[in-house]
Amino acid sequence: MARRKRTSLVLERAVRRAASINSIDLNLDLGNGLTLPAFSTLIERMRTKENAYNSALSSLDKLYREMLETEDELGDMTEHMLMAVGTRYGKSSVEYGMAGGVPKNQRRKGLRGESPTPSDEQPSFLASVESKNGNKAAATT
């Protein structure tokens, strides 16, 4: 998505005001540096800055799109490099592990929907049993 370009309401108002003041006198001097030529110069400087800013945003958008395309290319090549190492040396090889893959003989297989738990540990269950006299006892299995 392209970045939103900037438009200055202050600039638009200043342009309208300069056009109105221009109808009074082309060389109006109100004292303290408030002249129509100085006002027009500042309007043009603002217009130039705004155009430069908007151009920079367009360049930045282009650079960002190019970066994302290169990132996709790099991700694909990274995957292809690992697959090529697996093809050449085998997916159970030390080289495959060195390239960042998980060797086939070291992968854990779990059932769908289960979190991986070590097979030598059995889960324990805690059951609460109430006796006839109202005392609670806990039993584990």
Side-chain angles (χ1 to χ4, degrees):
M1 184 171 133
R3 285 169 177 73
R4 198 165 168 197
K5 306 302 185 264
R6 188 174 194 288
T7 58
S8 173
L9 297 176
V10 173
L11 177 61
E12 291 173 12
R13 189 170 12 131
V15 169
R16 283 193 307 270
R17 179 139 316 141
S20 298
I21 293 173
N22 196 21
S23 67
I24 297 172
D25 183 4
L26 290 176
N27 295 314
L28 183 65
D29 187 353
L30 300 170
N32 294 331
L34 299 175
T35 65
L36 188 57
F39 191 44
S40 297
T41 301
L42 189 56
I43 288 170
E44 284 308 311
R45 194 168 77 195
M46 176 58 193
R47 186 175 285 142
T48 302
K49 298 270 184 195
E50 186 179 64
N51 288 340
Y53 176 81
N54 288 335
S55 294
L57 284 181
S58 295
S59 297
L60 187 61
D61 287 338
K62 180 182 177 210
L63 183 61
Y64 181 69
R65 281 191 309 273
E66 290 172 355
M67 182 189 69
L68 290 178
E69 288 171 5
T70 305
E71 187 178 40
D72 287 343
E73 233 179 286
L74 180 60
D76 289 344
M77 189 167 186
T78 300
E79 186 177 347
H80 288 130
M81 293 291 287
L82 181 61
M83 289 170 38
V85 168
T87 301
R88 176 170 282 179
Y89 296 103
K91 288 190 175 183
S92 294
S93 68
V94 173
E95 292 82 3
Y96 187 71
M98 289 170 63
V102 178
K104 205 173 186 181
N105 57 2
Q106 292 180 5
R107 291 186 193 149
R108 294 177 115 181
K109 293 186 181 179
L111 296 176
R112 214 179 261 180
E114 264 187 31
S115 61
T117 56
S119 58
D120 58 326
E121 274 187 38
Q122 293 296 323
S124 63
F125 299 99
L126 183 63
S128 177
V129 179
E130 191 172 324
S131 65
K132 290 181 185 180
N133 60 5
N135 295 337
K136 289 187 179 180
T140 59
T141 56

